[in-house]
Amino acid sequence: MQRDYFKIEKNSGDFPYYAGDPQKLTIVQWLSLVLVLLAQFWIMSTATLSFLPKGIATALMDIFLVGVPMGLLWWFTKHAIGALFKPLKWRDTLTIIKYVLLMVVIGLGSTIALNLIGQTTNGDVAGDQVTGLVGYLAVFLDNILSLFWEELISLIPLLAMMAGLKALGVSRKISIILSTIVTSILFGALHLPSYQWNVPMVFTSIVFLRLILDVLYLKTKNIWLTYVTHLLYDSFVFALPLIFGLIFKH
């Protein structure tokens, strides 16, 4: 293991693209990807597609969110997009479970801490749709693509910032630390509208949950693991109203 690598990176290799493996992206290409993702966030936040049935509008928006940046990345990397994905193995199951449980502990802990100091806590507005099994399934189906896009809007800026810092001569470890902190804060900031602009909750919960997923990516360099972990965590959180409803109903 090279000195500029962290211990948890053992056997996971280097990050894709930022250092030219398997394909180097220019700074302009990185900026283009980041700007497209931010533009998509604005479109998602403002466009309603109210002239379409809700399910169709949601599906079209999800396809747009994932398809555009993936298409650009496929073009910029000269079809070497597979470097983002590594095959999942059975031993990855334990890793996913451990990180989901860690996220549950962090999420619960931050909620308790905020309540103890008198801060209000509230869930994602998507959780308001979970009024029954049908509502839960609708949110879950939406999350299948939308949470993959959330991984893109987290990891592409992270890799882009690392590439920029590398071009400035910053060491690999420092680049990873700075990029992870900055992009986790950005990820949290983008969630402010979904959490009714609850700044304390977003920056004590969402940011730290993102940091956990970024550590998982640092450890594995596999977007599949961060995506599946993210999907399972959100699925569990959104299932809680149903679970509590069944418990207290009886």
Side-chain angles (χ1 to χ4, degrees):
M1 179 67 64
Q2 300 177 29
R3 286 185 298 174
D4 216 19
Y5 281 66
F6 291 98
K7 287 184 179 180
I8 65 170
E9 295 185 81
K10 183 179 180 181
N11 301 325
S12 67
D14 203 357
F15 293 93
Y17 312 126
Y18 94 101
D21 182 23
Q23 181 69 32
K24 185 174 182 178
L25 273 67
T26 66
I27 296 300
V28 171
Q29 288 173 326
W30 280 122
L31 284 174
S32 298
L33 283 166
V34 173
L35 289 174
V36 163
L37 287 164
L38 292 176
Q40 286 185 309
F41 174 77
W42 177 79
I43 292 170
M44 178 185 66
S45 302
T46 57
T48 60
L49 300 179
S50 57
F51 57 92
L52 291 173
K54 186 176 181 180
I56 294 176
T58 299
L60 289 176
M61 181 62 72
D62 288 344
I63 292 169
F64 162 72
L65 291 174
V66 173
V68 172
M70 289 295 286
L72 273 179
L73 194 60
W74 179 81
W75 179 29
F76 289 161
T77 61
K78 299 180 179 177
H79 313 173
I81 200 170
L84 270 181
F85 309 94
K86 294 180 181 178
L88 288 173
K89 301 177 181 178
W90 281 110
R91 65 172 177 267
D92 293 327
T93 305
L94 182 59
T95 300
I96 290 169
I97 292 172
K98 288 193 296 186
Y99 275 82
V100 169
L101 291 175
L102 178 59
M103 291 176 72
V104 169
V105 170
I106 294 296
L108 181 61
S110 64
T111 299
I112 293 173
L114 287 171
N115 285 324
L116 287 175
I117 62 174
Q119 289 286 344
T120 59
T121 57
N122 47 270
D124 190 322
V125 292
D128 296 339
Q129 301 177 39
V130 184
T131 55
L133 183 58
V134 173
Y136 176 79
L137 290 174
V139 171
F140 177 78
L141 291 174
D142 177 32
N143 280 348
I144 290 174
L145 283 181
S146 65
L147 292 186
F148 186 80
W149 178 77
E150 287 196 8
E151 291 307 304
L152 294 178
I153 205 171
S154 302
L155 298 178
I156 287 178
L158 186 149
L159 295 173
M161 187 171 175
M162 284 182 61
L165 291 172
K166 178 179 172 61
L168 294 174
V170 179
S171 73
R172 184 180 182 277
K173 280 186 175 180
I174 297 299
S175 296
I176 291 172
I177 293 170
L178 290 177
S179 301
T180 299
I181 293 172
V182 170
T183 56
S184 293
I185 293 173
L186 171 64
F187 183 80
L190 294 176
H191 275 73
L192 281 169
S194 296
Y195 286 82
Q196 294 87 60
W197 300 93
N198 189 332
V199 175
M201 182 172 183
V202 164
F203 286 97
T204 57
S205 178
I206 304 303
V207 170
F208 282 101
L209 292 174
R210 184 65 243 174
L211 283 169
I212 292 171
L213 289 171
D214 285 348
V215 169
L216 176 58
Y217 187 70
L218 171 65
K219 177 183 174 68
T220 64
K221 312 298 189 304
N222 190 352
I223 195 173
W224 281 133
L225 263 76
T226 60
Y227 164 66
V228 172
T229 301
H230 194 167
L231 180 62
L232 290 178
Y233 171 76
D234 273 30
S235 298
F236 170 75
V237 170
F238 288 139
L240 288 178
L242 286 178
I243 296 171
F244 288 139
L246 289 172
I247 292 174
F248 292 108
K249 183 177 180 180
H250 300 289

